[in-house]
Amino acid sequence: MPKLKLTYFDIHGGRAEPARLALYLGGVAFEDERISFQEFGAKRAGYPFKRVPVLQVDDAELSQCNSINRYVGKLAGLYPSDPLQAAYCDETMDAVEDIVSQQVVTMRINDEAEKKSAREALADGPITLYLQRLQTMLEARGGEYFADGRLTVADLKVMVWVRSLRAGILDYVPADLPDKQAPKLVDHLTRVLEHPKVAEYYARFS
Ligand SMILES: N[C@@H](CCC(=O)N[C@@H](CS)C(=O)NCC(=O)O)C(=O)O
């Protein structure tokens, strides 16, 4: 097994959380490097695209969170080997990445009134759309998991996103939006959080 170091901010969410969870669930040893925003400022020029997450694999560096998720998913046994199921897994993760990228744009708005209007439009439009379509996708794939009929990195990625919305991380986006628009994604969130290894992972931090 290669020597792994995953670098990201010290938060229980965001773009590295699915990979952290996947490695933990798979029992794959890795260094969980958590950096402050200040440290990021000092180190960012050295990262492949001046962004995190970055996974160091022995002497090589891998960026782009979904590429990292696929790679660690394979190491952890949480990525499908069947090509179509793998494509379903990718499709789900890329959909979440689409909507997260749209959310991030609003984090850079400094004017509060402008931010409120952008967030309300996001809540009513793209976030609602992605919640509803992901729910439809989940139902089409059996209702419990997004690919392979079992927990994969796609489930971890969706869970991290829905959990963050319900935690109210985005001002002006109602925290109960997932419950109202996609209750089956909330059931999915509960299912993933109740997975014994996921529960064990979060218990370490409480
Ligand atoms: N496409 C990249 C996006 C990475 C990204 O934007 N990461 C954010 C943190 S979640 C970042 O490093 N932002 C710093 C910046 O934009 O200066 C990925 O999928 O990993």
Side-chain angles (χ1 to χ4, degrees), residues 76-147:
L78 294 170
Y79 189 78
S81 52
D82 174 79
L84 182 60
Q85 295 302 325
Y88 286 157
C89 190
D90 293 349
E91 180 190 31
T92 306
M93 294 199 293
D94 290 344
V96 175
E97 201 48 38
D98 271 358
I99 189 62
V100 167
S101 300
Q102 292 182 59
Q103 291 175 189
V104 168
V105 171
T106 68
M107 290 175 181
R108 301 199 178 105
I109 302 175
N110 292 321
D111 180 84
E112 204 56 30
E114 202 186 316
K115 181 177 279 189
K116 180 172 186 287
S117 138
R119 289 270 172 85
E120 285 172 354
L122 199 57
D124 292 345
I127 296 181
T128 291
L129 175 82
Y130 276 72
L131 284 168
Q132 291 174 344
R133 296 294 167 95
L134 280 165
Q135 174 171 270
T136 303
M137 204 174 260
L138 180 67
E139 286 176 307
R141 298 192 184 147
E144 294 214 340
Y145 299 104
F146 279 90

Side-chain angles (χ1 to χ4, degrees), residues 8-9 14-15 40 44 50-53 63-66 68 97 101 104 108 157:
Y8 194 63
F9 300 119
R15 286 185 164 111
F40 174 72
R44 64 177 307 188
K50 297 190 177 180
R51 288 167 187 241
V52 285
S63 68
Q64 303 302 328
C65 61
N66 282 344
I68 293 172
E97 201 48 38
S101 300
V104 168
R108 301 199 178 105
K157 179 109 185 172

